[in-house]
Amino acid sequence: MEPERQPVLEGTLVRLRPMTAEDREALFAIASDPMIWEAHPAHDRWQRPVFDAFFDAGLDSGGGLVIEDRATGAVIGSSRYDNWKPDADEIEIGWTYIARACWGGAYNREIKRLMLDHIHRFVATATFMVGEGNIRSRKAMAKIGGVLRPGIEMRLMAAEMKPHVVFEIRRP
């Protein structure tokens, strides 16, 4: 069964909903903060043309999600389900960014928990690609139970091939 990649998911802090073309400006307002991308291999996503390509890829993926603050209804970021591998019974969760005001763990943990609980109804394993040098994201993955796979994978980011590590979280 194909996974449902654009659900509506609600937690205490956030609501995730399908991304639409109308979300571009609200998401760019957040993504245009260079500090969000400082430790990320795609450190240039704050630039309009780069963001627009990133946003379009999210729309085209069929798995783009907008993250809203439940208390205010404000858009605070985005995430995505993509790269479904039926033969491996896994899908990737990633491309996540949230406004710096929401940094510190509680929002990210809830976003990932909602996404994991949902997708594990369809696939056994969720994977997460993290820039090899992105210590903040690596620590966040460890905090939510991510298990580091051996090896390095290369991905095109900011017009260069960049090394990534892969974390996985299996269905409980």
Side-chain angles (χ1 to χ4, degrees):
M1 169 177 19
E2 183 166 337
E4 180 188 3
R5 294 187 285 166
Q6 284 194 303
V8 174
L9 305 172
E10 294 200 30
T12 304
L13 299 171
V14 298
R15 176 178 182 261
L16 286 80
R17 62 166 175 80
M19 179 189 294
T20 68
E22 290 75 32
D23 294 311
R24 184 183 303 268
E25 295 309 315
L27 289 172
F28 181 65
I30 296 156
S32 63
D33 177 354
M35 292 283 297
I36 288 177
W37 309 105
E38 186 176 51
H40 194 279
H43 52 79
D44 58 352
R45 284 191 184 145
W46 60 272
Q47 298 173 24
R48 187 62 196 234
V50 178
F51 171 80
D52 282 341
F54 172 70
F55 180 84
D56 291 342
L59 279 179
D60 293 345
S61 76
L65 298 169
V66 170
I67 304 162
E68 298 174 338
D69 184 295
R70 282 233 16 226
T72 65
V75 171
I76 61 168
S78 177
S79 193
R80 183 186 324 170
Y81 294 113
D82 206 350
N83 297 323
W84 176 43
K85 297 178 182 172
D87 293 343
D89 199 20
E90 69 181 34
I91 197 166
E92 188 176 343
I93 295 175
W95 300 268
T96 307
Y97 65 97
I98 55 176
R100 282 193 294 141
C102 300
W103 285 9
Y107 283 85
N108 187 52
R109 275 192 302 277
E110 184 170 274
I111 291 162
K112 295 301 190 300
R113 181 57 41 219
L114 288 167
M115 292 181 75
L116 285 162
D117 288 349
H118 169 76
I119 208 65
H120 277 147
R121 295 177 17 222
F122 303 95
V123 299
T125 304
T127 62
F128 301 80
M129 299 286 291
V130 176
E132 183 181 33
N134 189 339
I135 303 304
R136 183 173 62 227
S137 290
R138 290 177 73 147
K139 286 181 179 179
M141 283 307 310
K143 283 182 185 176
I144 66 166
V147 175
L148 184 63
R149 286 184 176 172
I152 299 290
E153 291 195 24
M154 301 300 287
R155 279 230 173 138
L156 185 62
M157 299 270 169
E160 296 177 25
M161 294 303 287
K162 306 270 183 151
H164 285 70
V165 294
V166 180
F167 285 86
E168 67 178 35
I169 298 180
R170 294 188 174 274
R171 179 188 299 136

